[in-house]
């Protein structure tokens, strides 16, 4: 069990640039949360503090009852798995299988049998079972992203952080991601996902955190967020089609998804 | 009839050591001054098509190519060194690979290509600042290109090619890491380029935006060219879903409404078309 708490956290990079300023957040074990917001808002910087790849310059980050400053990155990353925005920052093995087995073998030092079981399950879930002997660097970028995800799944942390897994994914890729997230949620895992894909966020998450200019500016349900024009504007987000069309047809502010829009139009005849 | 600026004749391309070709018997004929959207599932061959057109597939990847790629009627392999890169700008799918790493600031990084083209220093700065404004990276000009967020890097990579003002632009998923407003503004920039007479090949998964901006759509599946044509005509075909392609949300909404007995008389693919139909109903 690892509830996440960011208490008044700021982060300044070595060159003196403050990327995150006084952010407070709490995410309970088992929650599914999306983080949305403008480029450079501080999303990646924030989540890297959750798995201790970066330590706050101010404030504190708690993972369960652990204050991250008292632990190493290796210790915290057993509880919080982070999938990099650029998979090439993460992948370094010559085959997909070796990459995926690395965490269970080297970091967790599990017995061979368990390594095999976990790796196979991770490959299955990410749709990579048929590509386990391939060189990740000869796979398309979108598939390399799944290799990076599989590697974290094999390590089986309590909390998963996916940094823009939707980037460059096709229809099938988005469906696979959705399936992975639901499956992890069912197992009681926490899933935190940064994305710029509004439709994906609406359909996959019940809670959305919006960041802009180093801060969290809104935290709410998709319904709340996507009817709040001011927040959308500040965070460089856009109003979904369903909301726009519902306004055009004067159907009120209760419609957020395409399915709701269709239902309402049909209902009104 | 408009000039054919790029032609592919029965192009089959196989990467070194690969057991099967990544592009199979592709023939295409592209007109000057149009914006082409290239779509297809992951691994369908979009990036391979890009590198084949700019000649990188044989020059750098060193795979084997059958058939021919003609740029303005001349085989891409028959051009002098440097001539192709002046004529054609290529924005890589992974922005990190685009950044040269030889310069310490974003400003110098963007100017780097201009130096190589021999542009005069006074002109250079003007062009860099201009493109930085358009791509919304003015505030980053004095930063190190490696100390940026993913989306910022992607903007820098795009700017470093746009600044060269090539006649032909091949852009591989330039908005994959951009926020929604940023994405729309890149599409607007690309449309302006087209209006200036440039030819643009744009690989994108964001079908809703291609529906708004592209003139023509080229669909790839499993290395084969399975469909192409004017944007509207291609994007209302529901069977594209079976080829792993996401259809525009708007066409899906109207298609579903039609199935449920609300027929608006046509299936729109753009927001403007949709609003018109909704208002007239
Ligand atoms: N360097 C390489 N060596 C061997 N095979 C490769 C190489 N690069 C790509 N391929 C293969 O060629 C095929 C087409 O890949 P390509 O990268 O062109 O797809 P894509 O449509 O651009 O996919 P994505 O949407 O993921 O970017 C894939 O099967 C891929 O595995
Ligand atoms: N290594 C670094 N050194 C200095 N500044 C950095 C570094 N990495 C990022 N920054 C800056 O910190 C800010 C926040 O970056 P971060 O990567 O957290 O943004 P983000 O919200 O994830 O954006 P994106 O959507 O583009 O990925 C940006 O302004 C960026 O320029
Ligand atoms: Mg980021
Ligand atoms: Mg590609």
């Amino acid at each position: 069990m690892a509830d996440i708490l960011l208490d008044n956290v700021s982060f300044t990079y070595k060159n003196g640039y403050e990327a995150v300023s006084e952010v407070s957040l709490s995410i309970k074990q088992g929650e599914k949360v999306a983080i949305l917001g403008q480029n450079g808002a501080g999303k990646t910087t924030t989540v890297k503090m959750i798995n201790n790849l970066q330590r706050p310059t101010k404030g504190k980050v708690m993972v369960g009852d652990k204050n991250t400053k008292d632990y190493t990155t290796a210790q915290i990353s057993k509880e919080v798995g982070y999938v990099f925005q650029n998979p090439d920052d993460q992948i370094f093995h010559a085959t997909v299988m070796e990459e995926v087995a690395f965490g269970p073998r080297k970091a967790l030092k599990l017995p061979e049998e368990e390594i095999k079981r976990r790796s196979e399950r991770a490959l299955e879930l990410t749709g990579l079972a048929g590509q386990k002997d391939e060189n990740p660097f000869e796979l398309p970028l979108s598939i390399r992203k799944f290799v990076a995800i599989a590697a974290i799944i094999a390590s089986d942390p309590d909390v998963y952080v996916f940094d823009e897994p939707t980037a460059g994914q096709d229809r099938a890729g988005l469906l696979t991601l959705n399936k992975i997230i639901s499956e992890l949620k069912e197992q009681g895992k926490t899933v935190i996902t940064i994305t710029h894909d509004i439709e994906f966020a609406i359909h996959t998450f019940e809670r959305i955190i919006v960041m802009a200019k180093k801060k969290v500016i809104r935290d709410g349900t998709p319904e709340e967020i996507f009817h709040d024009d001011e927040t959308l504007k500040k965070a460089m987000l856009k109003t979904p089609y369903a909301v726009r069309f519902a306004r055009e047809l004067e159907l009120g502010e209760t419609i957020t998804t395409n399915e709701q829009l269709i239902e309402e139009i049909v209902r009104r005849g | 009839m408009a000039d054919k600026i790029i032609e592919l004749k029965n192009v089959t391309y196989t990467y070194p050591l690969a057991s099967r070709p990544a592009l199979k018997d592709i023939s295409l004929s592209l007109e000057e001054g149009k914006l082409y959207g290239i779509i297809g599932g992951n691994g369908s061959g979009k990036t391979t098509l890009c590198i084949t057109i700019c000649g990188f597939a044989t020059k750098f990847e060193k795979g084997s190519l059958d058939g021919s790629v003609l740029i303005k009627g001349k085989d891409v392999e028959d051009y002098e060194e440097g001539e192709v890169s002046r004529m054609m700008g290529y924005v890589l799918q992974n922005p990190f690979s685009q950044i040269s790493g030889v310069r310490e600031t974003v400003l110098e990084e963007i100017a780097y290509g201009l130096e190589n083209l021999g542009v005069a220093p006074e002109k250079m700065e003007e062009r860099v600042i201009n493109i930085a404004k358009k791509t919304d990276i003015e505030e980053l000009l004095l930063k190190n290109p490696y100390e940026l967020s993913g989306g910022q890097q992607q903007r820098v990579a795009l700017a470093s090619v746009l600044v060269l003002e090539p006649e032909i632009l091949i852009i591989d998923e330039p908005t994959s890491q951009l926020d929604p407003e940023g994405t729309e503004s890149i599409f607007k920039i690309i449309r302006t380029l087209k209006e200036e007479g440039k030819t643009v090949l744009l690989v994108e998964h964001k079908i809703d935006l291609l529906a708004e901006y592209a003139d023509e759509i080229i669909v790839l599946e499993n290395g084969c060219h399975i469909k192409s044509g004017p944007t509207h005509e291609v994007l209302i075909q529901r069977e594209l879903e079976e080829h792993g392609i996401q259809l525009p949300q708007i066409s899906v909404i109207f298609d579903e409404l039609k199935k449920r007995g609300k027929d608006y008389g046509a299936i729109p693919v753009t927001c403007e078309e949709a609003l018109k139909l909704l208002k007239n109903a």
Side-chain angles (χ1 to χ4, degrees), chain A residues 2-35:
Chain A
D3 292 345
I4 303 292
L5 179 75
L6 274 69
D7 185 10
N8 224 6
V9 164
S10 302
F11 185 85
T12 302
Y13 280 100
K14 276 202 221 76
N15 65 359
Y17 183 80
E18 186 185 58
V20 172
S21 171
E22 295 174 358
V23 163
S24 292
L25 268 185
S26 98
I27 298 172
K28 292 253 166 302
Q29 181 66 44
E31 267 195 278
K32 251 187 348 180
V33 185
I35 303 179

Side-chain angles (χ1 to χ4, degrees), chain A residues 131-147:
Chain A
Q131 279 142 305
K132 68 178 170 43
D133 299 320
E134 295 199 34
N135 180 344
F137 293 100
E138 284 172 12
L139 295 171
L141 186 66
S142 53
I143 310 293
R144 285 211 293 287
K145 203 98 196 198
F146 279 110
V147 175

Side-chain angles (χ1 to χ4, degrees), chain B residues 145-216:
Chain B
Y146 288 112
E147 294 177 349
L148 299 177
S149 78
Q152 290 170 340
Q153 252 171 18
Q154 192 161 37
R155 290 169 198 250
V156 171
L158 179 67
S160 71
V161 175
L162 293 183
V163 75
L164 305 174
E165 301 176 3
E167 269 181 84
I168 303 172
L169 277 146
I170 302 180
I171 317 182
D172 200 352
E173 298 195 37
T175 69
S176 60
Q177 298 182 66
L178 297 198
D179 60 52
E181 275 299 336
T183 299
E184 181 96 37
S185 73
I186 297 302
F187 272 83
K188 287 194 178 129
I189 295 172
I190 292 174
R191 178 161 64 195
T192 316
L193 294 172
K194 182 196 87 174
E195 286 163 0
E196 288 165 2
K198 303 196 187 304
T199 309
V200 186
L201 271 76
L202 174 62
V203 175
E204 257 299 345
H205 287 292
K206 291 178 183 161
I207 201 78
D208 296 316
L209 284 155
L210 282 180
E212 303 278 348
Y213 289 87
D215 297 308
E216 306 243 347

Side-chain angles (χ1 to χ4, degrees), chain A residues 110-126:
Chain A
L110 297 171
E112 273 311 306
E113 240 169 88
E114 179 65 6
I115 295 172
K116 186 162 182 286
R117 195 189 65 78
R118 285 203 189 180
S119 305
E120 278 172 3
R121 176 178 153 269
L123 292 172
E124 195 63 48
L125 196 55
T126 47

Side-chain angles (χ1 to χ4, degrees), chain A residues 190-210:
Chain A
T190 305
V191 185
I192 303 167
T193 303
I194 298 177
T195 181
H196 291 296
D197 187 331
I198 289 176
E199 286 307 305
F200 184 81
I202 291 177
H203 283 96
T204 315
F205 298 92
E206 49 250 3
R207 177 177 170 197
I208 295 177
I209 293 169
V210 182

